[in-house]
Amino acid sequence: MAGAALARVAQLWSLLDEMAENEPQAYRRLLRQQRAEAERLCTPPEPHLCLRARPAVGARGLGLGWERGVAGGPLFINVCSWRRVPAPKTPADPTPVSVGPLEEVSGEGDLYSIIDIAYNPDVLQRGEENPEKMERLLRLTLKFIEERCNLTLSYLYTIESFKLKGSLEMMQQRLKGKQMPTPHLSQNTKKELTLDQLLHSMEAEDCSNAPVLLKEESITQSKVHLIEEITSTEMPEKPSTPVYEMITVKDANQKPLKIELKIELPKVSSVSECDLRISKDDIIIEVPEKYKLQLDLPELVDEETATAVFNKGKQVLFITVPVAKP
């Protein structure tokens, strides 16, 4: 997979270099298009309307209010507009949706739950222009949340006078997961940023392959899928370089005996997460999506007799490698 991705990147750079040299106007047009696409992807979700729903009579579900008596607390559904969520290509296609976690709120006498759900702005705009479409979308939204959160909701919902329950920042964090920095264009980093934007575009295209979670037969007898949930819209985190300390232990004559390496891995809870490779002249340690460290060793070593110990309490990996005999 990594080799194929690198080959694809190399091919992209080759095409871009050729375009920049032979078709400078087309190259500049491509950069403008990619910048516009990157800005679209970095646009945060915005509140559109807020639904107030309640459990069906006698229903028991998830959440603080849902388990305390028949009345229970209400569920507020923040229906949001997000340009990152793709629009359905045709009216017969499923409607992509992004949904955040169900959150419980209890304080100052209030007892309720919140969930955020986002659609492409075009989907919501069509609903504003056609009340029947909006009614259908909201009922399907309720059905989707029922299936996702194992709830049984009453369809007697109300649309609140406010557009958002809770803070704008918390809603955006719940939908986006971790905050992704907004890219900035500069003449000095034109090539690097262009590639990053191209990769953004590939990720957006991949969202359309997400599994369908809510089917039309939940509402009618049709067999057409109606809503599909898109996967995380965040770029995967690049592995970071962990903090480490490497020393060469020598004897009284200053002859190297062994190399000791101490690596801090605060995000690791078990040694089974680590992939450790030791050769005669280097060490590579990888923790998928968390850490990657490659070190050239100051001496040739005997990799067959290397030892590694992971301290769970301190979350530190200790590696000892004897220096190879001449």
Side-chain angles (χ1 to χ4, degrees):
M1 292 291 290
L6 289 175
R8 189 176 182 185
V9 169
Q11 183 181 18
L12 278 173
W13 279 129
S14 177
L15 292 172
L16 288 173
D17 290 339
E18 183 178 348
M19 179 184 291
E21 182 176 352
N22 300 327
E23 301 178 73
Q25 291 184 351
Y27 180 71
R28 287 192 291 271
R29 187 164 57 251
L30 175 64
L31 292 185
R32 288 194 296 269
Q33 291 172 350
Q34 293 303 320
R35 176 174 182 171
E37 179 68 7
E39 290 175 350
R40 182 187 72 82
L41 291 172
C42 291
T43 302
E46 296 293 337
H48 185 80
L49 60 85
C50 181
L51 296 181
R52 181 188 179 103
R54 283 188 171 273
V57 177
R60 298 171 64 87
L62 303 178
L64 290 172
W66 306 83
E67 295 180 351
R68 297 185 181 178
V70 176
L75 168 66
F76 291 97
I77 305 168
N78 292 321
V79 179
C80 305
S81 169
W82 199 4
R83 295 177 65 191
R84 271 195 181 180
V85 180
K89 295 180 180 179
T90 70
D93 287 340
T95 300
V97 60
S98 181
V99 61
L102 180 67
E103 219 173 70
E104 303 162 348
V105 179
S106 175
E108 299 182 357
D110 290 330
L111 188 64
Y112 58 89
S113 299
I114 295 179
I115 192 167
D116 313 288
I117 190 164
Y119 295 100
N120 184 275
D122 291 344
V123 173
L124 296 172
Q125 181 61 35
R126 286 194 292 269
E128 292 296 335
E129 296 170 355
N130 187 325
E132 290 184 2
K133 287 186 178 180
M134 179 59 79
E135 172 71 12
R136 188 162 176 258
L137 179 65
L138 296 182
R139 287 190 177 277
L140 286 166
T141 298
L142 293 172
K143 195 66 180 178
F144 174 76
I145 292 173
E146 277 188 325
E147 294 187 4
R148 179 178 176 82
C149 301
N150 193 26
L151 301 174
T152 304
L153 300 176
S154 166
Y155 283 107
L156 298 176
Y157 64 85
T158 56
I159 298 179
E160 297 290 344
S161 58
F162 48 85
K163 292 185 177 181
L164 180 72
K165 182 68 174 179
S167 72
L168 177 65
E169 181 181 1
M170 290 304 297
M171 176 273 286
Q172 292 176 344
Q173 286 183 3
R174 286 191 295 263
L175 279 174
K176 295 175 69 175
K178 294 186 177 180
Q179 186 77 20
M180 185 175 68
T182 303
H184 298 280
L185 287 174
S186 68
Q187 294 179 351
N188 296 331
T189 60
K190 176 178 65 177
K191 179 173 287 189
E192 288 79 3
L193 188 54
T194 302
L195 176 60
D196 183 58
Q197 293 168 349
L198 288 171
L199 295 177
H200 266 297
S201 300
M202 295 174 195
E203 182 196 17
E205 293 172 359
D206 289 342
C207 285
S208 61
N209 296 323
V212 175
L213 296 187
L214 179 60
K215 299 180 180 180
E216 175 73 9
E217 56 260 33
S218 302
I219 306 300
T220 69
Q221 297 302 315
S222 170
K223 297 297 182 181
V224 179
H225 297 305
L226 186 61
I227 291 184
E228 64 175 344
E229 181 181 5
I230 64 172
T231 54
S232 173
T233 54
E234 298 301 321
M235 287 286 287
E237 290 187 18
K238 293 182 178 180
S240 59
T241 301
V243 176
Y244 70 92
E245 179 183 359
M246 182 168 60
I247 62 173
T248 302
V249 179
K250 302 179 180 180
D251 62 13
N253 297 322
Q254 295 300 303
K255 179 182 177 181
L257 295 178
K258 59 183 178 180
I259 294 173
E260 295 181 343
L261 182 61
K262 174 185 174 184
I263 307 171
E264 298 180 14
L265 303 171
K267 298 179 183 178
V268 176
S269 57
S270 170
V271 70
S272 62
E273 300 177 44
C274 304
D275 180 13
L276 177 63
R277 285 164 283 172
I278 303 176
S279 68
K280 292 184 179 297
D281 56 5
D282 74 349
I283 288 180
I284 301 175
I285 180 169
E286 288 187 86
V287 181
E289 300 181 4
K290 295 180 181 178
Y291 300 109
K292 182 175 182 180
L293 178 65
Q294 180 172 359
L295 295 174
D296 292 328
L297 299 175
E299 307 286 341
L300 294 178
V301 299
D302 180 6
E303 70 271 26
E304 299 296 333
T305 58
T307 60
V309 177
F310 182 70
N311 187 313
K312 287 187 178 181
K314 296 182 178 180
Q315 293 178 299
V316 174
L317 180 65
F318 297 94
I319 302 173
T320 303
V321 193
V323 173
K325 295 181 181 180

